[in-house]
Amino acid sequence: MTMNAKLTLTKMPTKFAPKLLATAVAATLFAFSGSAIAETTPKAKPVDSLQKLINDTENQKQSAAAEKAKQADDNAELASDDADDFAIQAQVNNEIAEQNKDDVESGQAVAIATPNLDDDSIKSIENKDGKIYKTTNLSNYARAVNSAVWTPNMRRNTAMTVKMQALLDWNHASPGPIDGGWGMNSTKALANFQTMKGLPSTGKMNAATWSALTKNIDPNQPVLVEYTLTKDDVNTNFAQTPSGSEAKSKMKGLYYQNIKEMLGERFHMDVRYLEKLNKGKSFTEGETITVINVGTPLKAKINRVVADKATKTLYAYNGDKLVATYPTTVGSTATPSPTGTFKIVNKVKMPWYKSTVKSGDKKEVFMLPPGPNNPVGVVWMGLSKPSYGIHGSPVPEGISRQASAGCVRLTNWDVLEVYANIENGASVELK
C-alpha cells in the first residue's frame, strides 16, 4: 500500500503542485501563528506580595474598627445597665431604710378569723386560673431575650442575663426579683442550681450548667410575653402604706400601693425593670404590657428546710433531695435568729401582725391588718421556737440585703411556694 501511494504521488499532474504547496504553506503558517498567539496571550500576573500585605492590613484595620464600635455599643449598654442598677439599689436602700426606721420594737404574726378578708393579693400572686398571654407584637429587645442562647466566652448582656434569671426561676432556684442585672442573688441562685444538679457549685455559667438549665424546658417557651390588663387587675384595692404602727393599724388592709407593685410580685419582677420594659404605658384596663412569663409552680413535698445565715439562702428538701432554693434574710446583728432545729407548728395565709411599740416608759400594742405590705407579707409559718417563723416581705428587692427581726424572710411569691408544699411538723434548721 505504501508503494502504490508513492507511485501515485509521483505521477500526479504538475498543475496540482502549486495547490498542494499553498496548502502546506498555509498549514505551516497556521501552526506558527497559533504558537505565536499562545505565546502572546497575557499570563496571570504573579501575586504582588506588597499589595497583599497592604490589603490584609486594611482588612485588619476595618475589622478592628468594627470590633471597637461593637465594644463601644456593648460598653454603652453595660453603662446604661449599671446606671439602672445603681438607681434600683438606691431606691431599694431607701425603701429598706424607711421600713427599718419604723416604730416597731417587737411583734408577732397572729391568725385572726376574718370572714370578709379581701384576699385579692393572694389571688394576684397565685393566679391559679393561669395567665393568658401572647408574643405576636413583642419588641426587638423582648425577642432578643427569648432567642438568647448561651455560648462560651460570650460578653455579658442584658438579654442573656434576663433569660438566665428566668431559667433559674423556672428551675426553682429563685434569683429573687428578676431585674436584668446579674447581682448577688443571681450568682447565688446559679450556684444553688448547680448544687441541685450535682455540678460544681461555682456560680459561673458553663456548658454543663446551660444544658441542665434548659434540659426540661420547652425551647420555644418565651421568657418575655405580652399580657393584657384586665378589669380585675385595675380594680384591685390599692392604698399607700403609712408610716408608724398606729397609722397602719387604722387601715382596712395593708394592700399593694399601686398596680405596678402588684404586677411586679405576680410576675416575679423588680418594679423598676417592669417600668423599664413598659416605658410610656399607663397600666390601664385593656392595655398590653410586657412581663416575665413565670414558670410552673413547684410541686414537690418539702419536709425539711435549712436557713443558712452565711449564704442567705433557704434550702428546701424532700428527704435528702434538694428540690428548691430561695434567697432569704435570716435575722440581723441587732436581732440575730436562734440556731438549732425546730418544727413548723402553724401555717397562716394573710396574717395579722401584733406590733409592740415603746412610747416613753410605756409600751403600746397595735394590730396591723393583713396584706402584702404587712411586716410579714402574705404568709406566716410559725416555728416551735415562739415568736419566730418563716414569712414574706413587703420589700422583695431587699431580700438578702435587709435585716429581719430574727425570722426567715422571703419574697411573697417564694414564701407562697414554700407554703403550698411544706408540711406542718416539717423540720427547720437555722444555722
Side-chain angles (χ1 to χ4, degrees):
M1 291 292 293
T2 305
M3 286 181 64
N4 290 339
K6 190 173 182 179
L7 287 170
T8 303
L9 180 60
T10 303
K11 294 180 179 180
M12 187 172 294
T14 306
K15 64 179 180 179
F16 291 106
K19 185 175 181 180
L20 287 173
L21 180 61
T23 301
V25 171
T28 302
L29 289 173
F30 179 78
F32 176 79
S33 86
S35 176
I37 290 170
E39 289 180 2
T40 57
T41 299
K43 293 183 178 179
K45 292 182 178 180
V47 176
D48 187 330
S49 58
L50 178 59
Q51 186 62 47
K52 183 176 184 302
L53 179 61
I54 292 171
N55 292 343
D56 288 347
T57 303
E58 186 61 29
N59 290 337
Q60 288 173 1
K61 286 181 179 179
Q62 291 176 358
S63 297
E67 180 63 24
K68 187 176 180 180
K70 185 178 184 304
Q71 184 65 51
D73 289 341
D74 290 345
N75 289 341
E77 180 184 359
L78 293 180
S80 175
D81 290 343
D82 289 342
D84 288 339
D85 290 345
F86 286 131
I88 288 170
Q89 186 60 57
Q91 187 154 347
V92 168
N93 291 341
N94 289 337
E95 290 173 3
I96 294 171
E98 181 67 26
Q99 184 186 27
N100 289 344
K101 77 177 184 181
D102 212 347
D103 54 9
V104 179
E105 182 179 79
S106 63
Q108 183 176 2
V110 293
I112 297 177
T114 312
N116 299 320
L117 177 66
D118 177 4
D119 63 349
D120 283 348
S121 300
I122 292 284
K123 291 177 183 176
S124 171
I125 300 173
E126 293 180 317
N127 203 357
K128 292 180 180 178
D129 296 330
K131 302 174 182 65
I132 300 172
Y133 64 80
K134 55 186 179 179
T135 58
T136 51
N137 295 308
L138 288 172
S139 66
N140 289 335
Y141 167 80
R143 294 182 189 280
V145 171
N146 291 343
S147 62
V149 175
W150 180 85
T151 56
N153 302 317
M154 73 184 304
R155 287 190 178 88
R156 178 168 70 90
N157 62 81
T158 305
M160 190 69 247
T161 296
V162 173
K163 185 150 193 177
M164 285 168 59
Q165 288 179 325
L167 284 167
L168 288 166
D169 189 70
W170 295 348
N171 281 281
H172 310 296
S174 172
I178 294 173
D179 59 7
W182 195 257
M184 170 182 61
N185 283 339
S186 296
T187 301
K188 193 164 56 176
L190 185 59
N192 290 337
F193 173 78
Q194 290 168 328
T195 299
M196 288 168 64
K197 298 301 177 182
L199 298 169
S201 182
T202 63
K204 296 180 180 179
M205 182 59 74
N206 53 41
T209 303
W210 178 255
S211 177
L213 270 174
T214 56
K215 181 178 180 181
N216 298 315
I217 304 297
D218 182 346
N220 296 316
Q221 182 169 322
V223 170
L224 290 175
V225 295
E226 296 168 291
Y227 174 75
T228 301
L229 295 168
T230 67
K231 183 177 181 180
D232 287 343
D233 290 332
V234 299
N235 288 337
T236 300
N237 283 324
F238 300 115
Q240 285 298 118
T241 304
S243 296
S245 293
E246 183 175 4
K248 288 176 181 175
S249 69
K250 295 176 182 178
M251 300 287 289
K252 289 183 178 180
L254 294 173
Y255 308 122
Y256 286 117
Q257 299 185 83
N258 52 59
I259 192 170
K260 294 177 185 177
E261 186 180 41
M262 179 187 77
L263 293 170
E265 296 216 347
R266 180 189 296 182
F267 295 108
H268 304 185
M269 302 173 70
D270 182 282
V271 172
R272 270 64 57 170
Y273 184 57
L274 175 70
E275 292 172 334
K276 185 176 178 180
L277 283 179
N278 297 283
K279 288 181 179 177
K281 298 286 186 176
S282 57
F283 291 86
T284 53
E285 180 183 350
E287 188 176 43
T288 297
I289 60 173
T290 301
V291 297
I292 292 290
N293 175 24
V294 296
T296 304
L298 178 70
K299 294 180 181 177
K301 186 167 107 174
I302 298 174
N303 53 27
R304 179 169 71 96
V305 298
V306 177
D308 192 327
K309 301 171 195 172
T311 61
K312 298 181 179 178
T313 299
L314 182 76
Y315 302 91
Y317 294 87
N318 181 0
D320 292 329
K321 182 180 180 182
L322 182 61
V323 296
T325 65
Y326 308 94
T328 185
T329 299
V330 187
S332 67
T333 303
T335 55
S337 62
T339 57
T341 301
F342 310 96
K343 292 187 180 298
I344 297 285
V345 295
N346 66 340
K347 296 165 56 181
V348 184
K349 272 187 178 181
M350 299 299 278
W352 286 71
Y353 188 77
K354 184 179 179 181
S355 172
T356 302
V357 178
K358 187 175 181 181
S359 177
D361 295 332
K362 297 180 180 179
K363 287 187 178 181
E364 295 182 89
V365 174
F366 298 98
M367 296 302 298
L368 310 189
N373 278 301
N374 183 283
V376 292
V378 297
V379 163
W380 169 264
M381 290 176 281
L383 303 184
S384 51
K385 175 81 171 176
S387 300
Y388 291 93
I390 301 171
H391 61 82
S393 171
V395 188
E397 294 85 359
I399 295 298
S400 287
R401 299 183 177 96
Q402 70 201 117
S404 75
C407 294
V408 179
R409 183 182 303 218
L410 307 173
T411 67
N412 280 332
W413 60 89
D414 283 343
V415 80
L416 278 168
E417 185 167 276
V418 174
Y419 175 96
N421 292 281
I422 201 167
E423 306 170 324
N424 267 324
S427 167
V428 179
E429 181 185 355
L430 303 179
K431 67 175 188 176

